[in-house]
Amino acid sequence: MQSLLPNYVNYIHSAQNSFKIMQEATVLIFVINTLSKEYRKFLSFEEHIAEICDIQAICASIENMLLTANNLGLGSLWIGDIFFVYP
């Protein structure tokens, strides 16, 4: 199987560090787009635009959660590097 991110090996250390941070967290919130299309599937123009719109809405929601946590004096972190070790 060809890797989605062929140079992912370069980011394993960062992903391992993120995993350690996640292990120390009191609470983890995972945000998942259940409407997302398979990443290896060809998308029509309309499907691609819909994916982008969904991603923007989800990102805005996450940002609002992070800002609210900060306003409450809570630490927060958006972690995305775990995708580099997806395989």
Side-chain angles (χ1 to χ4, degrees), residues 57-71:
I58 290 166
C59 292
S61 298
I62 293 169
E63 181 179 35
N64 287 336
M65 287 190 286
L66 296 173
L67 291 170
T68 299
N70 184 64
N71 287 339

Side-chain angles (χ1 to χ4, degrees), residues 23-87:
Q23 286 179 308
E24 295 175 13
T26 305
V27 174
L28 293 173
I29 299 173
F30 287 90
V31 179
I32 300 169
N33 180 2
T34 59
L35 301 177
S36 181
K37 304 288 185 203
E38 166 66 38
Y39 67 86
R40 293 173 285 196
K41 178 183 178 253
F42 174 79
L43 300 179
S44 69
F45 180 74
E46 291 80 9
E47 289 173 319
H48 184 69
I49 296 300
E51 285 283 299
I52 291 172
C53 290
D54 286 347
I55 290 167
Q56 288 178 328
I58 290 166
C59 292
S61 298
I62 293 169
E63 181 179 35
N64 287 336
M65 287 190 286
L66 296 173
L67 291 170
T68 299
N70 184 64
N71 287 339
L72 294 171
L74 302 172
S76 61
L77 178 62
W78 182 324
I79 297 177
D81 62 358
I82 57 172
F83 293 105
F84 288 108
V85 291
Y86 182 78

